[in-house]
Amino acid sequence: MKKFTCVEDIGPLKEAIEEALEVKRNRFSYKHLGENKTLLMIFFNSSLRTRLSTQKAAMNLGMNVMVLDVNQGAWKLETERGVVMDGDKAEHLLEAIPVMGSYCDIIGVRSFASLKDRNEDYEERVIEQFIKYSGRPVFSMEAATRHPLQSFADLITIEEHKRTERPKVVLTWAPHPKALPQAVANSFAEWVTKGDYELVITHPKGYELDEKFTRGATIEYDQRKAFEGADFVYAKNWSAYEGENYGKVLSTDMDWIVDSEKMALTNNAFFMHCLPVRRNMIVTDEVIEAPTSLVIPEAANREISAQVVLKRMLEGLQ
Ligand code: AN0
Ligand code: CP
């Protein structure tokens, strides 16, 4: 595997999930693969889970790990070509990328959407430049439009907990005070629609996602109706995608919170969220603390999704 940015890169889902469950049972069996190999993780944005789970996955595989927080201690990077660099940015990504590539064997990149220019974000300019100029296999640790390690972990978690062959999965928008990227929601829709699940997406009008990710899902604007008979409820906030509202918060309507009253409409559904989550904005204490809440096992599976991706990349280097 040379790159991992979207669901296509993982190949057949069934095989990937089987491999994940095998890795989970025997996570130290592949330690030889990473001997004398170095992972460089580059963060343009904050992280708790991605940072720790990916590092742990790499250590399970016997790799050395280096972490760079670009905005803390490194030179500020210019990302656009043709800019006269007379401002605060001391280095260009076009030099920084091959330099970073020269010190490692595999690169992970976290670079969120700016939420200012939709075209720029949806072209995935930052991670695409890493793929083009680093000379190394590159994987996304959440890029502008997708968070594939999260979605892969989410599907592993659903497979471990599903009680029917083809469960009903509901992706629900929920309120948040700040503008967040669409990446987690886009990616979740992209992965779930590729698998054998019924996907219903519910959000207030104006929060429609790019159809490229949601094709195959049902859009239901009535959240309570969407929750009826659900086996999994996946909550996430995102900012608007459509037109001139791109990147804006259009609603903080607390009627969209996931609470016990709405969960009672479901088929005793499991609650999921990628974390970090704002309690009593997105979800009530009661729902996130219930035995049906999967947020912790879901986060734990981030180690497994990262390990499958790193394992496949290392196998490609042997
Ligand atoms: C980020 C987002 O919504 O994309 C990261 C989630 C994994 N969330 C926040 O910035 C709160
Ligand atoms: N879910 C997730 O990616 O969390 P972090 O932002 O803490 O890495």
Side-chain angles (χ1 to χ4, degrees):
M1 190 190 271
K2 283 271 183 295
K3 79 165 187 87
F4 178 72
T5 63
C6 61
V7 70
E8 277 75 37
D9 294 331
I10 202 78
L13 271 187
K14 215 167 168 298
E15 284 171 32
I17 288 166
E18 269 166 29
E19 188 173 338
L21 297 176
E22 203 284 317
V23 161
K24 191 166 180 172
R25 284 189 298 271
N26 302 297
R27 64 187 85 192
F28 304 112
S29 302
Y30 305 93
K31 241 189 152 83
H32 58 284
L33 282 176
E35 195 185 4
N36 297 330
K37 295 284 189 288
T38 300
L39 167 66
L40 173 58
M41 299 199 284
I42 299 158
F43 288 93
F44 288 84
N45 308 94
S46 307
S47 166
L48 186 154
R49 278 144 292 274
T50 305
R51 178 183 300 257
L52 297 178
S53 63
T54 310
Q55 180 156 0
K56 177 62 164 56
M59 294 190 302
N60 293 348
L61 289 161
M63 297 186 84
N64 300 308
V65 183
M66 300 192 296
V67 184
L68 180 66
D69 289 294
V70 173
N71 298 323
Q72 288 165 28
W75 304 107
K76 268 202 170 170
L77 293 178
E78 176 58 59
T79 55
E80 291 306 305
R81 205 170 160 274
V83 171
V84 177
M85 289 173 56
D86 59 357
D88 61 341
K89 294 175 177 163
E91 177 152 29
H92 203 288
L93 207 56
L94 289 171
E95 282 77 53
I97 290 174
V99 168
M100 293 190 273
S102 74
Y103 304 138
C104 66
D105 301 282
I106 297 176
I107 302 182
V109 181
R110 164 163 286 201
S111 172
F112 289 175
S114 69
L115 298 180
K116 289 188 191 101
D117 180 329
R118 186 171 95 171
N119 286 343
E120 221 171 82
D121 288 342
Y122 275 66
E123 279 171 19
E124 289 286 7
R125 287 200 193 160
V126 174
I127 196 156
E128 286 301 326
Q129 293 195 72
F130 275 91
I131 291 167
K132 207 160 160 191
Y133 300 117
S134 70
R136 301 291 175 214
V138 172
F139 65 95
S140 164
M141 300 197 296
E142 187 172 336
T145 64
R146 294 177 176 91
H147 193 358
L149 284 175
Q150 182 64 51
S151 310
F152 187 11
D154 295 336
L155 285 208
I156 297 166
T157 312
I158 291 174
E159 284 300 306
E160 286 177 322
H161 290 87
K162 71 178 188 186
R163 295 166 298 206
T164 54
E165 206 39 54
R166 191 168 182 274
K168 175 174 174 181
V169 179
V170 177
L171 166 61
T172 181
W173 181 93
H176 191 282
K178 293 192 173 155
L180 296 184
Q182 297 92 37
V184 171
N186 283 344
S187 212
F188 185 72
E190 179 179 66
W191 283 66
V192 171
T193 51
K194 204 186 170 201
D196 194 14
Y197 312 100
E198 178 191 352
L199 178 63
V200 177
I201 304 176
T202 183
H203 54 70
K205 290 226 163 89
Y207 278 98
E208 289 74 14
L209 295 164
D210 185 346
E211 278 177 19
K212 160 171 106 185
F213 301 106
T214 60
R215 209 165 289 130
T218 305
I219 313 298
E220 170 58 67
Y221 293 104
D222 181 338
Q223 191 191 31
R224 287 178 173 78
K225 206 165 158 204
F227 273 42
E228 282 169 16
D231 297 297
F232 293 87
V233 169
Y234 192 99
K236 183 70 184 84
N237 172 270
W238 63 87
S239 59
Y241 166 75
E242 288 292 347
E244 60 196 31
N245 284 331
Y246 179 70
K248 292 198 179 129
V249 175
L250 305 179
S251 166
T252 45
D253 183 356
M254 289 303 288
D255 194 38
W256 279 81
I257 195 170
V258 179
D259 61 13
S260 300
E261 175 244 310
K262 282 178 214 160
M263 289 301 280
L265 301 168
T266 69
N267 181 26
N268 193 24
F270 291 104
F271 174 79
M272 298 179 74
H273 189 280
C274 64
L275 306 182
V277 73
R278 291 191 184 228
R279 282 179 177 223
N280 304 309
M281 284 290 305
I282 301 272
V283 58
T284 59
D285 292 321
E286 202 180 3
V287 170
I288 200 168
E289 290 169 4
T292 42
S293 170
L294 294 180
V295 295
I296 308 304
E298 184 183 354
N301 277 334
R302 290 292 307 277
E303 177 182 338
I304 307 305
S305 62
Q307 193 170 339
V308 171
V309 169
L310 287 171
K311 173 177 170 283
R312 288 190 180 186
M313 287 188 164
L314 287 169
E315 284 164 349
L317 294 177
Q318 302 299 308

